[in-house]
Amino acid sequence: MDLRLSKEDHAFRDEVRAFLAEHMTDGLRRAMELNTCFINEPPVALAFHKALHAKGWAAPNWPEEFGGTGWSPVQRYIYESESARVGAPTFNDQGIKHIGPILMKYGTKEHQDAYLPRILSGEDVWCQGYSEPGAGSDLASLKTRAVDEGDHYLVTGQKIWTTHAHFANRIYVLVRTNTEGRKQEGISFLIMDMDLPGIIVRPIDGSGGDHEFNEVFFEDVRAPKSGLVGEENQGWEIAKYLLEYERGGNPQAARVRARLSSVARLIKRYADDDPSLTLRLAEVGTDIDAMEMLELTLLSDLQSGKNPGAVSSLLKLRWSAMQQQLAELALDIAGEDALRWESGRPLYESLQLPPDTEEMLGIGPRYLNYRGYSILGGTSEIQTSILAKQLLGL
Amino acid sequence: MDLQPTEEQQLIRESAEKFLADRYGPETFRALIDSDARWSPDIWNGFAELGWLGLPFPEDAGGFGMGPAEVVILMEQFGRVPVLEPYVSSVILCGKLIELLGTDEQRGALLGEIASGQLRLAFAHDALEGPMTVTRGADAFLLSGVKRAVHDAPMAEIYLVSCTLDDGTVAVFSVPANAAGITARSHNTLDGRRLSDLDFADARIPPEARLGGGTDGRAAIDEATAWAITASCADAVGAISAMVEQTVDYAKQREQFGQPIAKFQVLQHRLVDMKIAEEEARASVLLAALSLDGDAAMRERGASGAKAKVGRAARFVHQAAIQTHGAIGTTDELMLGWYAKRLVAFEKQFLPTRRHLGRYAEIISDPEAAAAPLLREATA
Ligand SMILES: Cc1cc2nc3c(=O)[nH]c(=O)nc-3n(C[C@H](O)[C@H](O)[C@H](O)COP(=O)(O)OP(=O)(O)OC[C@H]3O[C@@H](n4cnc5c(N)ncnc54)[C@H](O)[C@@H]3O)c2cc1C
């Protein structure tokens, strides 16, 4: 067992570093440092994404036949880890990481030809319409209806917490196509253009001052039937496949480690004399080391063709907690400085303050926004219950 | 990068599981706890026959040339018993110290005898740096003073004794336990093992007993200590994993309110947290093990990081395991109490958890060090 990069992987890492050095401009770096949301907004990433696309690197997790990189798991890990280290943005994960893989597996040739190239090029921005006011953790109880009206579905209902719906031109939704039987069995997976008549997007501002998510209303929307992915009533299986696909494909240790490093810098600058802060930082540091080892073990399992087992819930549970602890630590370092509130967003465009203290302005919003980490994508309680079954057979 | 266990490593694990299941069940453990010696020559010989007592030594010194990854695999199984014999003291700490610091002659004389089971050693190092004075006589060093809390000293034939000399170098002397001028005051420990406070009164140590001739011993002591910390962290992970397993089993069969207590969500979530603590602790031990062949900074980061992380897991898991068992958890009726005590002892040995956390904190207070990924240069 060892942690050394092979010669080829080493060369690959250098290539990634060279690319990042060229395309992480000072402006982009500052924008990312002042980003307060759990993911960056698509526009800030567009130029960078186009550079990736030109190099053939737009979709690290896709196979080559669909225009992906065809990288090995280790190469993907290196790429994710290097780009996280320099704070590189991601462009619309809902496209590249979510709907893309679903269309590759369940989409028709037409779906694939129509959508995949536009995801790669950054022309399309996607959003995910799963949650509803009455269907959160119990997602399968969703009520948004799609009724077969011959040449189209008539869609009525409401989605909520739809991240970046205000940037998106396309949406994938889970809709109810059957009200009988088990609730999971009456759900279908439907994609729509956001400019269809009857789709209305209303913003929801987070308490951190950012507009990340929205309500999306469907008022008698006539959705073309060509938007059905898979079979009717196969939607639940499709949504679950994504979790399967993501297993190990979504390493986070490097992102959390980059935050660890920036909090270490904050301590150096503002609170060098308080050992209680460095000890808390160290606890998170040891947590990140363990998490990175678990990710690398998973990677090694994948690499050698083994089934990695039930670790994705474990990793989500833990990295969300670590992100929150670091945001909290930053808040504690900042003291009263974190109370200065700048309401303009994005921060990097609205700031009038001396650059040496502008980083303070992101700390309060980030702390508040990061509370969402343990809620989005399955709450920590739900992940823990999944693990009780998967890991312990309870 | 490859984290798949080799065939040989799997074999070590399997043979450890088998030997310990056959020869070192709870009855054996309890019989040893009731004995004065607190260790079994019979078991020790069994370890020797399986090659474990020379596992990490070079082949030319009577060992098997295995690395840290093999050591932690074996140690995790030891922790599941938990084994009382002085493996970490004799083989890892003292053995590695002799290998790293000793002259060829000293290695030849000592390592082979450790590997064959004839010699047990204890390291009188005393983190408190008790007041030892060393005088150079005409043909010997004269040692006076105290070394406190020397683990496993009561079963050792040889003590390795560290001292700072008048020229500022650190010397390590290999001293027979029965040498004139040394008195041992021995105690049982909280977790059922043994330690001694050693009094030295002008103990005469011949110059050839100094490991490595005139070499300063600091670097070797640090390296051997990093090995020992890593090994005892693996031992703790073994105890943690046994506790988690036994607690899950208990919760599945203990019924209250007409159902197994494992049906209560609050307990399910606690059990998951315990399991995660186990997985994370094991992962940080592997990191420590794979850092031992790096430079001093990498070793220290690995060992202190693991000691801090496993220490935290140890405390959380043993408390949660006791709570989940109810009153029976507070007794020695089950093995649970002995694992809890093992984990409390683990936290104290080789400096406590908070000291290692502090050391790790110093290391990562440098933002560059904090940012460094775990995958390493091919040439490192
Ligand atoms: C930042 C952010 C971005 C998001 N983006 C999107 C998006 O793009 N698209 C989308 O569809 N959704 C999105 N969501 C919604 C997210 O998926 C839901 O918030 C999540 O599934 C939880 O649902 P809920 O908020 O209704 O909470 P609820 O399900 O009402 O939960 C409330 C509390 O009850 C607990 N709870 C619920 N059931 C159980 C149980 N069985 N056992 C124990 N505890 C339980 C929960 O853990 C939680 O603490 C986003 C959420 C956030 C915070």
Side-chain angles (χ1 to χ4, degrees):
Chain A
M1 295 193 263
D2 74 81
L3 290 169
R4 294 192 193 110
L5 293 166
S6 71
K7 246 170 105 183
E8 298 74 41
D9 289 336
H10 198 277
F12 175 76
R13 192 195 66 179
D14 288 345
E15 194 187 353
V16 173
R17 283 191 177 171
F19 176 88
L20 292 169
E22 186 183 343
H23 295 282
M24 279 300 289
T25 58
D26 288 346
L28 181 55
R29 195 181 301 274
R30 176 169 171 275
M32 288 302 291
E33 272 165 17
L34 290 174
N35 172 46
T36 52
C37 305
F38 76 100
I39 45 173
N40 59 273
E41 299 182 332
V44 78
L46 191 59
F48 182 80
H49 181 76
K50 285 193 185 308
L52 278 176
H53 184 45
K55 189 149 172 82
W57 287 2
N61 57 330
W62 293 11
E64 268 175 301
E65 52 168 320
F66 293 113
T69 55
W71 285 338
S72 71
V74 173
Q75 285 177 312
R76 269 166 59 189
Y77 196 90
I78 292 169
Y79 173 78
E80 300 279 356
S81 156
E82 290 299 323
S83 51
R85 208 156 70 97
V86 297
T90 57
F91 181 80
N92 191 223
D93 279 352
Q94 289 96 325
I96 289 167
K97 294 209 167 132
H98 299 171
I99 188 69
I102 284 178
L103 293 179
M104 289 177 227
K105 167 94 173 170
Y106 293 98
T108 59
K109 179 89 173 50
E110 287 72 35
H111 288 143
Q112 294 169 353
D113 290 346
Y115 297 123
L116 296 181
R118 297 173 58 91
I119 293 174
L120 288 173
S121 66
E123 284 161 280
D124 281 353
V125 174
W126 286 82
C127 62
Q128 177 189 67
Y130 283 6
S131 305
E132 297 181 3
S137 299
D138 182 13
L139 182 59
S141 66
L142 62 91
K143 290 203 170 66
T144 297
R145 282 283 281 157
V147 178
D148 188 342
E149 298 215 320
D151 62 340
H152 64 266
Y153 287 107
L154 191 68
V155 182
T156 47
Q158 184 197 343
K159 297 292 174 180
I160 194 169
W161 316 123
T162 321
T163 300
H164 293 171
H166 53 304
F167 292 109
N169 61 332
R170 312 217 192 258
I171 185 169
Y172 56 97
V173 290
L174 292 177
V175 290
R176 183 152 304 282
T177 37
N178 188 349
T179 51
E180 329 241 291
R182 275 186 73 227
K183 54 191 181 179
Q184 285 84 357
E185 282 158 16
I187 294 171
S188 296
F189 195 101
L190 196 60
I191 55 190
M192 284 178 253
D193 290 349
M194 289 294 280
D195 61 5
L196 285 180
I199 298 187
I200 296 151
V201 177
R202 289 212 194 112
I204 306 178
D205 285 334
S207 55
D210 288 277
H211 170 203
E212 293 179 275
F213 39 46
N214 306 271
E215 293 176 291
V216 180
F217 296 89
F218 299 88
E219 296 182 352
D220 293 331
V221 176
R222 292 159 159 262
K225 283 181 99 172
S226 59
L228 180 71
V229 179
E231 305 288 317
E232 212 169 80
N233 300 326
Q234 200 189 1
W236 192 251
E237 177 199 325
I238 296 174
K240 274 188 16 195
Y241 163 75
L242 193 57
L243 298 176
E244 185 96 345
Y245 187 89
E246 269 192 350
R247 262 204 320 219
N250 190 20
Q252 290 287 332
R255 296 250 159 224
V256 192
R257 193 179 283 294
R259 292 234 65 87
L260 180 84
S261 175
S262 71
V263 176
R265 199 167 290 117
L266 280 181
I267 292 180
K268 257 201 166 15
R269 249 178 236 159
Y270 303 101
D272 212 9
D273 55 348
D274 186 345
S276 76
L277 296 171
T278 55
L279 290 180
R280 279 167 60 194
L281 184 79
E283 286 202 341
V284 186
T286 60
D287 289 346
I288 296 172
D289 285 349
M291 178 169 70
E292 192 168 346
M293 286 302 291
L294 291 174
E295 284 184 357
L296 290 169
T297 304
L298 179 98
L299 189 68
S300 171
D301 285 351
L302 287 174
Q303 190 94 318
S304 64
K306 274 203 225 162
N307 185 339
V311 283
S312 71
S313 285
L314 190 158
L315 294 171
K316 159 74 196 343
L317 184 66
R318 297 296 293 132
W319 67 252
S320 57
M322 292 171 208
Q323 284 283 23
Q324 291 177 330
Q325 281 158 13
L326 289 171
E328 188 179 346
L329 189 49
L331 186 73
D332 292 342
I333 293 163
E336 270 199 329
D337 273 332
L339 297 182
R340 276 178 248 274
W341 191 258
E342 168 66 43
S343 55
R345 291 289 187 278
L347 266 187
Y348 65 91
E349 279 178 1
S350 65
L351 284 182
Q352 307 296 330
L353 277 134
D356 61 329
T357 55
E358 68 178 18
E359 65 183 351
M360 282 288 155
L361 293 173
I363 287 175
R366 200 175 287 124
Y367 169 73
L368 293 164
N369 289 339
Y370 277 24
R371 300 318 302 168
Y373 266 127
S374 52
I375 297 169
L376 63 93
T379 69
S380 291
E381 289 81 2
I382 295 297
Q383 305 290 357
T384 308
S385 289
I386 292 173
L387 288 167
K389 280 204 193 72
Q390 291 180 339
L391 283 182
L392 304 177
L394 296 177
Chain B
M1 199 280 303
D2 179 6
L3 297 176
Q4 301 302 309
T6 61
E7 235 165 80
E8 197 154 34
Q9 289 164 349
Q10 281 170 30
L11 222 66
I12 291 175
R13 188 196 155 101
E14 283 159 20
S15 65
E17 279 170 352
K18 178 159 185 347
F19 177 86
L20 297 169
D22 291 350
R23 304 268 304 271
Y24 214 145
E27 318 71 44
T28 310
F29 176 87
R30 286 182 193 279
L32 288 175
I33 284 288
D34 289 338
S35 73
D36 290 336
R38 306 288 175 104
W39 71 288
S40 152
D42 188 40
I43 295 279
W44 196 252
N45 286 334
F47 289 1
E49 279 160 24
L50 286 160
W52 297 343
L53 298 182
L55 198 73
F57 306 151
E59 281 164 84
D60 63 12
F64 289 85
M66 297 280 158
E70 288 80 13
V71 169
V72 296
I73 286 170
L74 181 65
M75 286 305 307
E76 185 175 335
Q77 296 307 316
F78 282 180
R80 289 181 62 90
V81 174
V83 162
L84 292 163
E85 281 64 17
Y87 188 84
V88 172
S89 290
S90 295
V91 179
I92 307 298
L93 187 54
C94 292
K96 271 286 154 188
L97 190 49
I98 292 162
E99 179 196 325
L100 293 166
L101 186 60
T103 60
D104 284 348
E105 210 180 329
Q106 289 163 334
R107 291 159 50 139
L110 294 168
L111 292 182
E113 291 198 14
I114 297 175
S116 65
Q118 286 151 273
L119 266 193
R120 278 153 305 279
L121 296 87
F123 187 29
H125 184 46
D126 193 12
L128 305 170
E129 285 306 336
M132 290 288 288
T133 55
V134 190
T135 353
R136 286 180 207 254
D139 56 351
F141 293 97
L142 290 176
L143 263 58
S144 287
V146 190
K147 287 284 188 187
R148 290 170 50 82
V150 180
H151 285 270
D152 302 316
M155 47 281 250
E157 284 81 20
I158 287 183
Y159 305 142
L160 299 186
V161 186
S162 65
C163 298
T164 308
L165 301 185
D166 47 13
D167 61 2
T169 62
V170 169
V172 178
F173 298 106
S174 159
V175 185
N178 58 10
I182 306 179
T183 327
R185 288 169 288 129
S186 300
H187 299 272
N188 296 336
T189 62
L190 175 135
D191 63 329
R193 293 189 274 184
R194 305 268 290 153
L195 60 71
S196 306
D197 296 324
L198 302 180
D199 295 319
F200 294 80
D202 280 339
R204 290 176 62 83
I205 316 288
E208 61 273 18
R210 182 175 178 186
L211 291 183
T215 323
D216 185 79
R218 280 192 187 86
I221 291 174
D222 287 348
E223 188 167 345
T225 305
W227 274 77
I229 288 171
T230 304
S232 65
C233 284
D235 181 275
V237 167
I240 286 171
S241 75
M243 275 195 124
V244 172
E245 193 179 297
Q246 290 171 21
T247 306
V248 171
D249 288 347
Y250 183 80
K252 283 179 178 168
Q253 56 90 27
R254 168 74 177 165
E255 294 196 358
Q256 287 294 287
F257 300 98
Q259 56 184 325
I261 59 170
K263 291 281 173 221
F264 301 127
Q265 193 184 50
V266 68
L267 293 193
Q268 292 187 346
H269 284 201
R270 184 193 291 150
L271 292 168
V272 168
D273 290 343
M274 291 166 70
K275 184 69 186 174
I276 292 175
E278 174 197 330
E279 299 282 355
E280 290 189 335
R282 185 177 290 113
S284 55
V285 170
L286 185 57
L287 175 60
L290 298 182
S291 303
L292 282 173
D293 68 352
D295 59 16
M298 186 183 281
R299 269 200 305 276
E300 191 181 12
R301 179 177 174 165
S304 282
K307 187 76 166 54
K309 176 76 187 169
V310 180
R312 196 148 45 103
R315 194 163 291 194
F316 165 66
V317 168
H318 84 247
Q319 292 177 351
I322 292 170
Q323 180 68 20
T324 306
H325 276 77
I328 190 83
T330 67
T331 71
D332 282 341
E333 292 289 307
L334 307 173
M335 281 303 288
L336 205 72
W338 287 109
Y339 294 125
K341 289 187 266 195
R342 180 72 154 218
L343 292 175
V344 171
F346 157 74
E347 273 207 70
K348 297 275 165 224
Q349 252 187 300
F350 303 115
L351 298 182
T353 307
R354 76 190 144 74
R355 289 279 294 275
H356 284 281
L357 187 65
R359 183 62 200 116
Y360 183 90
E362 280 171 39
I363 297 169
I364 65 155
S365 68
D366 169 11
E368 286 301 313
L374 301 183
L375 285 178
R376 283 149 194 176
E377 305 289 322
T379 49

